[in-house]
Amino acid sequence: MNNTNIKSSPLGLIPLMIFLMIYFLSGLIYKDFSIMPLLIAMMIAFLIFLAFTPKEKKSETINSFCKGAGHPTIMMMVTIYLLSGAFSASISAIHGSDLIALNSMRYLPGYLLLPGMFIIGLVLSFSMGSSMGAATALMPVALSIVAHSDVSAPLACGVVVSGVIAGDNLSFISDTSVAAAAVTGTTIKMKFKESICMFLAPAMITFIILCCITVQCTVSQSADIPMINLIPIITVIILSIKGTSVIPVLAIGTCLSFLIGFIENLFTIAEFLAAIHAGVMNLEEMALIAVVAGGLIGLAQDNGGIEWICNKISSSSSSSKQSALSIAFTTILLDIVTANNTMAIITCGPIASKICEEQNFSKTKAASILGYFSTITNVVVPYAGHLMAVSGLSSITPISVIPYVFYDVIGFITGFLWLILEPEKILLFIKTRRNNND
């Protein structure tokens, strides 16, 4: 969606502003955000924008929309959604997720079930370098816990997303970390050390909150399911940690589920195909939303909307604190506009580098801000990848998950406090005073 020689203009944001107004006004008026489906709101926004486009530019507008909708990043997201649905359905068909969930509920105390899921998501995402892949691997287990306890689907989804986003932000191999370090000219190791400071507070608070939520389970005995049925999940985790792409990993996991289930006579070929078809259809709407959202983003990009945001915010940096806040706000706005954290980092990267050069701002801190705020923003945007994936798998609305994504909601508060209070300067001052006294 990148295009050079684009004139910046706030008018480029009109399609996205129309969409946001339609969606949020409908929710506020009816006091129910599920009244207006995301897909319909996006289509109406595009049609309104097209209707007011001059006749001679209508063809160009349609081309921009289609180019954005068919962008490789969008098509990869669509493929991952569909394969996630197939994998989740295949795991359910062989009861692999039930095996983990039922035994966890059998042997773990209720107050450790949700914190455990948060930590597992964090470790998986950190090791795999893919928050989407980690969420896909963990969601079948989360849904089994929902089915056999009083945990609500939005809460389970929120815990999964919180964990995988926390891990993704720290991971050495995630596309977020790699992009943030690359565009600012620092190292991933230095970025990791800086990010720890921002990560600890929201992670610890989230863990404490989850410990306070007691889960009532409805199972009294462990699952009578062969341990061999865990092979697909374990394989998916191992391959992901080794760095294998998410798409072939999900395909391999689905095929292994079929082989195990067929050998154990759990289903016929026709029944398995019907099961994974149903799983794919569960995420069909989310895939279409991703396509249409890509189209609106393409319009914003080609009409100079994103360039305008970058230019406006970058011009307001005159001190270290303002520089940090400018990078953070630019990243957040671009993440909302693009619904893709990596794309937001790459787009904001030149602005962050310019601020670092002109204001003598730390490149390592800039990389940490880019990575941190792009990840936590991405999962409170209802039309972004993570929320659409987990909500699609659990048949709920993306916006219903947002209140339970504790890590990210808390992360906004602690993140901005970190930028405003600048605790690293306080620590440096204390360290300097100690050295002088010695």
Side-chain angles (χ1 to χ4, degrees), residues 186-206:
T186 187
T187 64
I188 295 177
K189 183 178 180 180
M190 293 299 294
K191 184 257 179 193
F192 172 81
K193 290 181 179 179
E194 186 83 22
S195 297
I196 283 286
C197 301
M198 302 181 80
F199 158 83
L200 282 177
M204 291 175 66
I205 295 171
T206 299

Side-chain angles (χ1 to χ4, degrees), residues 288-346:
L288 289 173
I289 289 172
V291 170
V292 180
L296 294 181
I297 293 164
L299 288 175
Q301 186 97 33
D302 287 353
N303 287 282
I306 293 176
E307 188 73 18
W308 180 81
I309 291 175
C310 294
N311 292 341
K312 268 294 181 187
I313 297 183
S314 65
S315 62
S316 62
S317 305
S318 57
S319 67
S320 175
K321 188 178 296 184
Q322 287 181 341
S323 297
L325 291 171
S326 294
I327 295 172
F329 279 120
T330 306
T331 304
I332 290 169
L333 283 174
L334 289 173
D335 212 337
I336 292 171
V337 171
T338 63
N340 185 294
N341 53 343
T342 305
M343 196 179 298
I345 290 171
I346 293 171

Side-chain angles (χ1 to χ4, degrees), residues 105-122:
M105 289 185 285
R106 170 67 174 169
Y107 297 111
L108 282 179
Y111 65 88
L112 285 181
L113 205 56
L114 294 178
M117 194 156 61
F118 172 73
I119 295 298
I120 291 171
L122 190 157

Side-chain angles (χ1 to χ4, degrees), residues 13 18 58 62 83 105 111 209 227 298 303 308 311 341 353 355 395 398 413 437:
L13 298 173
I18 294 173
K58 286 189 186 295
I62 294 172
L83 284 174
M105 289 185 285
Y111 65 88
I209 290 173
M227 293 298 292
N303 287 282
W308 180 81
N311 292 341
N341 53 343
S353 296
I355 289 173
S395 301
I413 300 171
N437 292 334

Side-chain angles (χ1 to χ4, degrees), residues 2 27 40 68 94 131-132 207 226-227 239-240 258 284 296 298 321-322 338 382 390 429:
N2 294 328
I40 301 302
I94 63 171
S131 53
M132 187 69 79
F207 186 84
M227 293 298 292
L239 289 176
S240 298
F258 166 72
E284 178 186 25
L296 294 181
K321 188 178 296 184
Q322 287 181 341
T338 63
V390 297
F429 174 76

Side-chain angles (χ1 to χ4, degrees), residues 44-251:
I44 292 173
F46 169 64
L47 293 174
I48 291 174
F49 182 75
L50 185 63
F52 285 93
T53 301
K55 186 176 180 180
E56 63 274 12
K57 290 189 175 181
K58 286 189 186 295
S59 178
E60 182 182 340
T61 299
I62 294 172
N63 286 338
S64 290
F65 179 85
C66 294
K67 184 179 68 174
H71 191 273
T73 301
I74 300 298
M75 289 298 101
M76 180 174 289
M77 286 173 60
V78 169
T79 307
I80 291 172
Y81 290 161
L82 300 181
L83 284 174
S84 295
F87 174 69
S88 179
S90 70
I91 289 296
S92 297
I94 63 171
H95 309 295
S97 52
D98 289 336
L99 176 58
I100 297 175
L102 295 178
N103 282 308
S104 297
M105 289 185 285
R106 170 67 174 169
Y107 297 111
L108 282 179
Y111 65 88
L112 285 181
L113 205 56
L114 294 178
M117 194 156 61
F118 172 73
I119 295 298
I120 291 171
L122 190 157
V123 173
L124 275 180
S125 184
F126 177 83
S127 304
M128 295 162 64
S130 170
S131 53
M132 187 69 79
T136 301
L138 195 54
M139 271 306 295
V141 178
L143 293 177
S144 289
I145 291 175
V146 170
H148 297 93
S149 70
D150 62 348
V151 175
S152 67
L155 174 57
C157 290
V159 173
V160 170
V161 171
S162 291
V164 300
I165 288 299
D168 182 270
N169 187 40
L170 291 179
S171 178
F172 285 89
I173 58 175
S174 70
D175 53 356
T176 304
S177 295
V178 172
V183 297
T184 54
T186 187
T187 64
I188 295 177
K189 183 178 180 180
M190 293 299 294
K191 184 257 179 193
F192 172 81
K193 290 181 179 179
E194 186 83 22
S195 297
I196 283 286
C197 301
M198 302 181 80
F199 158 83
L200 282 177
M204 291 175 66
I205 295 171
T206 299
F207 186 84
I208 292 169
I209 290 173
L210 294 177
C211 285
C212 295
I213 303 175
T214 303
V215 177
Q216 297 295 326
C217 304
T218 58
V219 292
S220 58
Q221 58 184 13
S222 58
D224 186 20
I225 303 169
M227 293 298 292
I228 194 175
N229 291 27
L230 289 178
I231 288 178
I233 294 178
I234 294 172
T235 302
V236 164
I237 292 171
I238 292 173
L239 289 176
S240 298
I241 289 173
K242 284 189 172 183
T244 309
S245 176
V246 176
I247 291 175
V249 164
L250 293 173

